[in-house]
């Protein structure tokens, strides 16, 4: 049973189906994988750290002693409660992948201890992975792929973690902070905790962008969001220079194309709201435009139309798909997309 929609995943993590004996949680962002693993483990057993009810294994344990995994899954709880076998994988090693897949298949079929729960936390698994294939086809296994957090997910995480220390950010400060956070959730959480200490736990403060300046320091010149704005503003040289600087800082072509797509989305929402009767400035704020970028964004919104955006949308989608093709020159694809967007913007008078 594969769970992809966020509501389905959250519902399962809060109240696992009694007929499910195993869960495979995997993805590139191990921070998200670990968070979901912790949440599920806490629902399966009262104390996920109890050695009497919980066995925690790694891929090294499986590689060194393959029969041990099935032995742990067949064992009964020493305290009489439900048993949890938690396996953490960091790399997709063929031998380990196959061994875990075989154990999962037997356990999901009820051949080992049917009252035990098998929780597997793994990194990114390719479609060819035997473990992934087994998890997806086993009715008694919940398979949860973890994708990179969307900006809305990150914003929610920031609000929730800061609220624990009774501090918060206003909307503009939240947007600024989210844009600057690392993509990996584990590292992002450390940054959020550091911000809470900076603001003062228990202070009740609601910080503004000005309040964050000493914490964030000078914004890096290489910004994919700035590069996207430059492209839609008709400044090709600035856009391509920004993309190249971002590449030097480790940002790949897919992220660059995504930034261009997000800027297009903001323009589309702004123009749609304006068409429905909202003021352009009001519509821009509702679309999440940061106050420092508002003047330039409104200049673009007055030049672009919904029809113009519809014409450019297929090229953004095509570039996104091309970037995800194995071996693709993703940086070149992103730069060509910026060239196309900037060319359209120039023809619109920008």
């Amino acid at each position: 049973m594969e769970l992809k929609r966020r509501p389905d995943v959250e519902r399962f993590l809060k109240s696992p189906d009694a007929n499910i004996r195993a869960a495979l949680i995997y993805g590139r962002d191990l921070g998200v994988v670990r968070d979901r693993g912790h949440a599920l483990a806490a629902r399966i057993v009262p104390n996920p750290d109890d050695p009497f009810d919980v066995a925690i294994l790694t891929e090294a344990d499986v590689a060194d002693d393959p029969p041990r995994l099935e032995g742990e899954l067949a064992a009964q709880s020493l305290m009489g409660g439900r048993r949890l076998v938690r396996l953490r994988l960091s790399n997709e090693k063929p031998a380990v992948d196959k061994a875990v897949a075989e154990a999962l298949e037997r356990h999901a079929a009820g051949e080992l201890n049917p009252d035990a729960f098998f929780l597997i936390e793994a990194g990114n698994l390719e479609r060819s992975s035997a473990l992934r294939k087994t998890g997806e086809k086993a009715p008694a296994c919940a398979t949860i792929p973890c994708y990179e957090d969307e900006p809305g997910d990150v914003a929610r995480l920031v609000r929730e973690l800061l609220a624990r220390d009774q501090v918060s950010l206003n909307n503009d400060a939240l947007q600024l902070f989210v844009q600057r956070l690392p993509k990996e959730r584990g590292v992002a959480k450390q940054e959020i905790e550091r911000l809470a200490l900076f603001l003062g736990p228990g202070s009740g403060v609601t910080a503004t962008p000005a309040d964050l300046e000493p914490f964030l320091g000078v914004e890096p010149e290489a910004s994919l969001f700035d590069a996207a704005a430059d492209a839609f503003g008709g400044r090709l040289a600035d856009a391509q220079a920004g993309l190249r600087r971002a590449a030097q800082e480790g940002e790949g072509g897919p992220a660059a194309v995504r930034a261009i797509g997000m800027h297009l989305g903001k323009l589309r929402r702004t123009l749609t709201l304006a068409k429905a009767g909202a003021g352009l400035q009001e519509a821009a704020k509702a679309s999440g435009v940061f106050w420092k970028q508002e003047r330039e964004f409104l200049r673009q919104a007055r030049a672009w139309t919904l029809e113009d955006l519809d014409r450019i949308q297929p090229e953004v989608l095509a570039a996104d798909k091309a970037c995800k093709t194995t071996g693709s020159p993703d940086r070149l694809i992103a730069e060509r997309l910026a060239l196309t967007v900037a060319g359209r913007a120039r023809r619109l008078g920008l």
Side-chain angles (χ1 to χ4, degrees), residues 10-32:
E10 293 181 349
R11 186 161 44 248
F12 175 78
L13 295 179
K14 290 179 181 178
S15 181
D17 190 322
N19 296 320
I20 299 297
R21 297 193 187 98
L24 169 60
I25 306 175
Y26 70 93
R28 294 185 185 278
D29 191 334
L30 286 175
V32 179

PDB file of all heavy atoms in Angstrom, residues 10-32:
ATOM      1  N   GLU A  10      -0.175  11.548   6.988  1.00  0.00           N
ATOM      2  CA  GLU A  10      -0.344  12.043   8.350  1.00  0.00           C
ATOM      3  C   GLU A  10      -1.368  11.236   9.121  1.00  0.00           C
ATOM      4  O   GLU A  10      -1.202  10.962  10.317  1.00  0.00           O
ATOM      5  CB  GLU A  10      -0.736  13.524   8.316  1.00  0.00           C
ATOM      6  CG  GLU A  10       0.396  14.417   7.789  1.00  0.00           C
ATOM      7  CD  GLU A  10       0.022  15.882   7.768  1.00  0.00           C
ATOM      8  OE1 GLU A  10      -1.188  16.191   7.963  1.00  0.00           O
ATOM      9  OE2 GLU A  10       0.916  16.721   7.546  1.00  0.00           O
ATOM     10  N   ARG A  11      -2.440  10.830   8.422  1.00  0.00           N
ATOM     11  CA  ARG A  11      -3.468  10.019   9.077  1.00  0.00           C
ATOM     12  C   ARG A  11      -2.887   8.660   9.505  1.00  0.00           C
ATOM     13  O   ARG A  11      -3.146   8.179  10.616  1.00  0.00           O
ATOM     14  CB  ARG A  11      -4.643   9.835   8.128  1.00  0.00           C
ATOM     15  CG  ARG A  11      -5.845   9.139   8.750  1.00  0.00           C
ATOM     16  CD  ARG A  11      -7.119   9.378   7.956  1.00  0.00           C
ATOM     17  NE  ARG A  11      -6.920   9.252   6.526  1.00  0.00           N
ATOM     18  CZ  ARG A  11      -6.986  10.274   5.674  1.00  0.00           C
ATOM     19  NH1 ARG A  11      -7.238  11.489   6.123  1.00  0.00           N
ATOM     20  NH2 ARG A  11      -6.821  10.079   4.374  1.00  0.00           N
ATOM     21  N   PHE A  12      -2.083   8.060   8.636  1.00  0.00           N
ATOM     22  CA  PHE A  12      -1.492   6.769   8.956  1.00  0.00           C
ATOM     23  C   PHE A  12      -0.496   6.890  10.113  1.00  0.00           C
ATOM     24  O   PHE A  12      -0.462   6.045  11.014  1.00  0.00           O
ATOM     25  CB  PHE A  12      -0.793   6.186   7.728  1.00  0.00           C
ATOM     26  CG  PHE A  12      -0.058   4.907   8.008  1.00  0.00           C
ATOM     27  CD1 PHE A  12      -0.743   3.704   8.125  1.00  0.00           C
ATOM     28  CD2 PHE A  12       1.322   4.910   8.189  1.00  0.00           C
ATOM     29  CE1 PHE A  12      -0.070   2.527   8.403  1.00  0.00           C
ATOM     30  CE2 PHE A  12       2.004   3.727   8.466  1.00  0.00           C
ATOM     31  CZ  PHE A  12       1.301   2.537   8.574  1.00  0.00           C
ATOM     32  N   LEU A  13       0.338   7.938  10.104  1.00  0.00           N
ATOM     33  CA  LEU A  13       1.331   8.107  11.160  1.00  0.00           C
ATOM     34  C   LEU A  13       0.680   8.330  12.525  1.00  0.00           C
ATOM     35  O   LEU A  13       1.223   7.934  13.556  1.00  0.00           O
ATOM     36  CB  LEU A  13       2.257   9.281  10.832  1.00  0.00           C
ATOM     37  CG  LEU A  13       3.155   9.118   9.594  1.00  0.00           C
ATOM     38  CD1 LEU A  13       3.990  10.370   9.377  1.00  0.00           C
ATOM     39  CD2 LEU A  13       4.051   7.898   9.724  1.00  0.00           C
ATOM     40  N   LYS A  14      -0.487   8.963  12.536  1.00  0.00           N
ATOM     41  CA  LYS A  14      -1.191   9.200  13.796  1.00  0.00           C
ATOM     42  C   LYS A  14      -1.960   7.967  14.268  1.00  0.00           C
ATOM     43  O   LYS A  14      -2.102   7.727  15.461  1.00  0.00           O
ATOM     44  CB  LYS A  14      -2.159  10.378  13.636  1.00  0.00           C
ATOM     45  CG  LYS A  14      -1.482  11.725  13.486  1.00  0.00           C
ATOM     46  CD  LYS A  14      -2.505  12.840  13.302  1.00  0.00           C
ATOM     47  CE  LYS A  14      -1.822  14.187  13.134  1.00  0.00           C
ATOM     48  NZ  LYS A  14      -2.802  15.286  12.900  1.00  0.00           N
ATOM     49  N   SER A  15      -2.465   7.183  13.302  1.00  0.00           N
ATOM     50  CA  SER A  15      -3.277   6.017  13.654  1.00  0.00           C
ATOM     51  C   SER A  15      -3.041   4.898  12.637  1.00  0.00           C
ATOM     52  O   SER A  15      -3.811   4.727  11.700  1.00  0.00           O
ATOM     53  CB  SER A  15      -4.764   6.397  13.688  1.00  0.00           C
ATOM     54  OG  SER A  15      -5.562   5.289  14.054  1.00  0.00           O
ATOM     55  N   PRO A  16      -1.945   4.136  12.830  1.00  0.00           N
ATOM     56  CA  PRO A  16      -1.616   3.067  11.872  1.00  0.00           C
ATOM     57  C   PRO A  16      -2.718   2.018  11.791  1.00  0.00           C
ATOM     58  O   PRO A  16      -3.288   1.621  12.813  1.00  0.00           O
ATOM     59  CB  PRO A  16      -0.333   2.464  12.455  1.00  0.00           C
ATOM     60  CG  PRO A  16       0.212   3.502  13.376  1.00  0.00           C
ATOM     61  CD  PRO A  16      -0.972   4.235  13.913  1.00  0.00           C
ATOM     62  N   ASP A  17      -3.029   1.580  10.595  1.00  0.00           N
ATOM     63  CA  ASP A  17      -4.026   0.539  10.370  1.00  0.00           C
ATOM     64  C   ASP A  17      -3.579  -0.742  11.060  1.00  0.00           C
ATOM     65  O   ASP A  17      -2.434  -1.179  10.932  1.00  0.00           O
ATOM     66  CB  ASP A  17      -4.156   0.303   8.862  1.00  0.00           C
ATOM     67  CG  ASP A  17      -5.335  -0.589   8.512  1.00  0.00           C
ATOM     68  OD1 ASP A  17      -5.594  -1.547   9.250  1.00  0.00           O
ATOM     69  OD2 ASP A  17      -5.988  -0.332   7.489  1.00  0.00           O
ATOM     70  N   ALA A  18      -4.481  -1.377  11.785  1.00  0.00           N
ATOM     71  CA  ALA A  18      -4.155  -2.598  12.531  1.00  0.00           C
ATOM     72  C   ALA A  18      -3.737  -3.742  11.613  1.00  0.00           C
ATOM     73  O   ALA A  18      -3.064  -4.682  12.048  1.00  0.00           O
ATOM     74  CB  ALA A  18      -5.344  -3.014  13.386  1.00  0.00           C
ATOM     75  N   ASN A  19      -4.146  -3.696  10.346  1.00  0.00           N
ATOM     76  CA  ASN A  19      -3.808  -4.765   9.405  1.00  0.00           C
ATOM     77  C   ASN A  19      -2.421  -4.590   8.772  1.00  0.00           C
ATOM     78  O   ASN A  19      -1.977  -5.460   8.024  1.00  0.00           O
ATOM     79  CB  ASN A  19      -4.855  -4.826   8.282  1.00  0.00           C
ATOM     80  CG  ASN A  19      -6.229  -5.194   8.813  1.00  0.00           C
ATOM     81  OD1 ASN A  19      -6.351  -6.051   9.686  1.00  0.00           O
ATOM     82  ND2 ASN A  19      -7.262  -4.532   8.306  1.00  0.00           N
ATOM     83  N   ILE A  20      -1.766  -3.480   9.069  1.00  0.00           N
ATOM     84  CA  ILE A  20      -0.447  -3.208   8.507  1.00  0.00           C
ATOM     85  C   ILE A  20       0.621  -3.719   9.466  1.00  0.00           C
ATOM     86  O   ILE A  20       0.644  -3.360  10.636  1.00  0.00           O
ATOM     87  CB  ILE A  20      -0.268  -1.700   8.256  1.00  0.00           C
ATOM     88  CG1 ILE A  20      -1.315  -1.192   7.256  1.00  0.00           C
ATOM     89  CG2 ILE A  20       1.135  -1.417   7.748  1.00  0.00           C
ATOM     90  CD1 ILE A  20      -1.200  -1.822   5.879  1.00  0.00           C
ATOM     91  N   ARG A  21       1.510  -4.558   8.953  1.00  0.00           N
ATOM     92  CA  ARG A  21       2.575  -5.140   9.783  1.00  0.00           C
ATOM     93  C   ARG A  21       3.931  -4.491   9.537  1.00  0.00           C
ATOM     94  O   ARG A  21       4.885  -4.776  10.268  1.00  0.00           O
ATOM     95  CB  ARG A  21       2.720  -6.641   9.502  1.00  0.00           C
ATOM     96  CG  ARG A  21       1.514  -7.482   9.832  1.00  0.00           C
ATOM     97  CD  ARG A  21       1.894  -8.955   9.810  1.00  0.00           C
ATOM     98  NE  ARG A  21       0.699  -9.764   9.959  1.00  0.00           N
ATOM     99  CZ  ARG A  21       0.045 -10.318   8.954  1.00  0.00           C
ATOM    100  NH1 ARG A  21       0.477 -10.140   7.721  1.00  0.00           N
ATOM    101  NH2 ARG A  21      -1.026 -11.053   9.175  1.00  0.00           N
ATOM    102  N   ALA A  22       4.026  -3.692   8.492  1.00  0.00           N
ATOM    103  CA  ALA A  22       5.325  -3.110   8.145  1.00  0.00           C
ATOM    104  C   ALA A  22       5.138  -1.764   7.469  1.00  0.00           C
ATOM    105  O   ALA A  22       4.073  -1.463   6.923  1.00  0.00           O
ATOM    106  CB  ALA A  22       6.097  -4.053   7.219  1.00  0.00           C
ATOM    107  N   ALA A  23       6.194  -0.957   7.528  1.00  0.00           N
ATOM    108  CA  ALA A  23       6.194   0.337   6.833  1.00  0.00           C
ATOM    109  C   ALA A  23       7.578   0.579   6.265  1.00  0.00           C
ATOM    110  O   ALA A  23       8.586   0.365   6.946  1.00  0.00           O
ATOM    111  CB  ALA A  23       5.805   1.458   7.792  1.00  0.00           C
ATOM    112  N   LEU A  24       7.605   0.995   5.015  1.00  0.00           N
ATOM    113  CA  LEU A  24       8.850   1.370   4.347  1.00  0.00           C
ATOM    114  C   LEU A  24       8.793   2.871   4.084  1.00  0.00           C
ATOM    115  O   LEU A  24       7.980   3.341   3.291  1.00  0.00           O
ATOM    116  CB  LEU A  24       9.010   0.601   3.031  1.00  0.00           C
ATOM    117  CG  LEU A  24      10.133   1.069   2.098  1.00  0.00           C
ATOM    118  CD1 LEU A  24      11.490   0.957   2.781  1.00  0.00           C
ATOM    119  CD2 LEU A  24      10.105   0.281   0.787  1.00  0.00           C
ATOM    120  N   ILE A  25       9.639   3.620   4.776  1.00  0.00           N
ATOM    121  CA  ILE A  25       9.698   5.071   4.619  1.00  0.00           C
ATOM    122  C   ILE A  25      11.040   5.391   3.978  1.00  0.00           C
ATOM    123  O   ILE A  25      12.091   5.036   4.514  1.00  0.00           O
ATOM    124  CB  ILE A  25       9.571   5.789   5.978  1.00  0.00           C
ATOM    125  CG1 ILE A  25       8.310   5.318   6.719  1.00  0.00           C
ATOM    126  CG2 ILE A  25       9.536   7.293   5.785  1.00  0.00           C
ATOM    127  CD1 ILE A  25       8.171   5.901   8.122  1.00  0.00           C
ATOM    128  N   TYR A  26      11.027   6.045   2.815  1.00  0.00           N
ATOM    129  CA  TYR A  26      12.286   6.273   2.106  1.00  0.00           C
ATOM    130  C   TYR A  26      12.259   7.604   1.362  1.00  0.00           C
ATOM    131  O   TYR A  26      11.198   8.169   1.085  1.00  0.00           O
ATOM    132  CB  TYR A  26      12.553   5.134   1.109  1.00  0.00           C
ATOM    133  CG  TYR A  26      11.624   5.125  -0.085  1.00  0.00           C
ATOM    134  CD1 TYR A  26      11.980   5.765  -1.269  1.00  0.00           C
ATOM    135  CD2 TYR A  26      10.382   4.503  -0.026  1.00  0.00           C
ATOM    136  CE1 TYR A  26      11.134   5.770  -2.370  1.00  0.00           C
ATOM    137  CE2 TYR A  26       9.522   4.508  -1.119  1.00  0.00           C
ATOM    138  CZ  TYR A  26       9.904   5.137  -2.283  1.00  0.00           C
ATOM    139  OH  TYR A  26       9.058   5.154  -3.360  1.00  0.00           O
ATOM    140  N   GLY A  27      13.451   8.108   1.029  1.00  0.00           N
ATOM    141  CA  GLY A  27      13.538   9.348   0.260  1.00  0.00           C
ATOM    142  C   GLY A  27      14.914   9.969   0.370  1.00  0.00           C
ATOM    143  O   GLY A  27      15.743   9.570   1.197  1.00  0.00           O
ATOM    144  N   ARG A  28      15.156  10.971  -0.476  1.00  0.00           N
ATOM    145  CA  ARG A  28      16.458  11.645  -0.490  1.00  0.00           C
ATOM    146  C   ARG A  28      16.717  12.411   0.804  1.00  0.00           C
ATOM    147  O   ARG A  28      17.849  12.491   1.274  1.00  0.00           O
ATOM    148  CB  ARG A  28      16.538  12.621  -1.679  1.00  0.00           C
ATOM    149  CG  ARG A  28      16.524  11.933  -3.038  1.00  0.00           C
ATOM    150  CD  ARG A  28      16.725  12.958  -4.153  1.00  0.00           C
ATOM    151  NE  ARG A  28      16.594  12.337  -5.460  1.00  0.00           N
ATOM    152  CZ  ARG A  28      17.558  11.671  -6.070  1.00  0.00           C
ATOM    153  NH1 ARG A  28      18.736  11.549  -5.479  1.00  0.00           N
ATOM    154  NH2 ARG A  28      17.373  11.140  -7.260  1.00  0.00           N
ATOM    155  N   ASP A  29      15.668  13.014   1.359  1.00  0.00           N
ATOM    156  CA  ASP A  29      15.834  13.817   2.568  1.00  0.00           C
ATOM    157  C   ASP A  29      15.682  12.910   3.786  1.00  0.00           C
ATOM    158  O   ASP A  29      14.582  12.619   4.242  1.00  0.00           O
ATOM    159  CB  ASP A  29      14.784  14.938   2.600  1.00  0.00           C
ATOM    160  CG  ASP A  29      15.084  15.968   3.690  1.00  0.00           C
ATOM    161  OD1 ASP A  29      15.745  15.600   4.682  1.00  0.00           O
ATOM    162  OD2 ASP A  29      14.667  17.123   3.552  1.00  0.00           O
ATOM    163  N   LEU A  30      16.812  12.467   4.331  1.00  0.00           N
ATOM    164  CA  LEU A  30      16.759  11.560   5.473  1.00  0.00           C
ATOM    165  C   LEU A  30      16.180  12.229   6.710  1.00  0.00           C
ATOM    166  O   LEU A  30      15.701  11.543   7.612  1.00  0.00           O
ATOM    167  CB  LEU A  30      18.167  11.021   5.770  1.00  0.00           C
ATOM    168  CG  LEU A  30      18.691   9.966   4.776  1.00  0.00           C
ATOM    169  CD1 LEU A  30      20.132   9.592   5.110  1.00  0.00           C
ATOM    170  CD2 LEU A  30      17.810   8.729   4.796  1.00  0.00           C
ATOM    171  N   GLY A  31      16.219  13.562   6.757  1.00  0.00           N
ATOM    172  CA  GLY A  31      15.606  14.258   7.885  1.00  0.00           C
ATOM    173  C   GLY A  31      14.103  14.008   7.935  1.00  0.00           C
ATOM    174  O   GLY A  31      13.532  13.758   8.998  1.00  0.00           O
ATOM    175  N   VAL A  32      13.441  14.078   6.773  1.00  0.00           N
ATOM    176  CA  VAL A  32      12.006  13.803   6.698  1.00  0.00           C
ATOM    177  C   VAL A  32      11.741  12.335   7.003  1.00  0.00           C
ATOM    178  O   VAL A  32      10.802  11.989   7.731  1.00  0.00           O
ATOM    179  CB  VAL A  32      11.455  14.157   5.303  1.00  0.00           C
ATOM    180  CG1 VAL A  32       9.970  13.842   5.219  1.00  0.00           C
ATOM    181  CG2 VAL A  32      11.700  15.629   4.989  1.00  0.00           C
TER     182      VAL A  32
END
